[in-house]
Amino acid sequence: MTITIRQATSDDIPVIKDILAHAVNHKLLRGDVSWGFTSYEGDDIEKSIQDKCAYVALVENRVVGTFILLWKDEGTWGVQPPTAAYVQRLAVNSNHHRQNIGAEILDAIAKAVRGHNRSLLRLTCSSANPKLCSYYLGLGFTRADSLARPNHVSKPTAYFEQPIPTSL
């Protein structure tokens, strides 16, 4: 299966909303409230698209996932040297769970950011979600809690990073 990624457009808003709504509900059913306590409304998608940080992942021209890619994330990680790319709100279409799509998306992101003089891929998840933490560890991410310098911590957060290989 070949994953391609591209910047999201306003035409992608309905499918992104759908993917994220299912992701929030999936998390809530497992007691993970890191993306909120209610179903996802999608108010921030349009701004993310306008800011050119929203992306979609495709298989055979069908959207199978979505994520936000940032070059700095001071709100979550605090001030950091410009060595990392930051992934937020990674979600896979519920019809494509358990097909290794999340790992494939992260690999595609690593390939895309490698040329931007970044050596690390960083992301976070709820530290109260041991299954998701284990998933990221199984993909080769390491805990980087001690490196994070957030302005405030309002929820239990696990910080992860992974070196971006020089050749993929």
Side-chain angles (χ1 to χ4, degrees), residues 70-80 86-88 124:
L70 303 171
W71 300 110
K72 64 181 180 177
D73 187 1
E74 293 179 1
T76 304
W77 285 81
V79 177
Q80 298 285 324
Y86 300 86
V87 177
Q88 292 183 353
T124 62

Side-chain angles (χ1 to χ4, degrees), residues 14-159:
V15 71
I16 293 172
K17 276 187 175 182
D18 186 56
I19 290 170
L20 292 174
H22 281 96
V24 169
N25 290 337
H26 185 81
K27 287 172 153 304
L28 290 172
L29 288 171
R30 283 149 186 80
D32 182 341
V33 296
S34 61
W35 286 6
F37 293 96
T38 60
S39 185
Y40 185 73
E41 298 295 325
D43 299 335
D44 57 341
I45 295 171
E46 193 169 317
K47 180 173 181 349
S48 296
I49 290 171
Q50 289 170 353
D51 292 345
K52 299 195 182 305
C53 60
Y55 290 80
V56 291
L58 303 105
V59 171
E60 298 175 359
N61 291 321
R62 294 191 57 189
V63 175
V64 296
T66 185
F67 61 93
I68 300 294
L69 181 63
L70 303 171
W71 300 110
K72 64 181 180 177
D73 187 1
E74 293 179 1
T76 304
W77 285 81
V79 177
Q80 298 285 324
T83 57
Y86 300 86
V87 177
Q88 292 183 353
R89 215 171 57 200
L90 172 62
V92 174
N93 182 306
S94 59
N95 295 328
H96 292 85
H97 285 184
R98 301 193 187 285
Q99 297 178 31
N100 206 36
I101 300 279
E104 295 287 332
I105 291 172
L106 288 167
D107 285 346
I109 295 168
K111 287 177 187 173
V113 303
R114 185 179 60 210
H116 290 270
N117 203 26
R118 301 297 166 126
S119 59
L120 297 167
L121 197 58
R122 288 183 171 160
L123 53 81
T124 62
C125 72
S126 170
S127 59
N129 187 337
K131 189 172 181 179
L132 190 54
C133 290
S134 293
Y135 174 75
Y136 290 130
L137 291 170
L139 293 178
F141 283 83
T142 57
R143 289 291 291 261
D145 300 18
S146 64
L147 301 174
R149 305 279 183 261
N151 298 330
H152 63 79
V153 178
S154 60
K155 51 193 165 204
T157 303
Y159 297 83

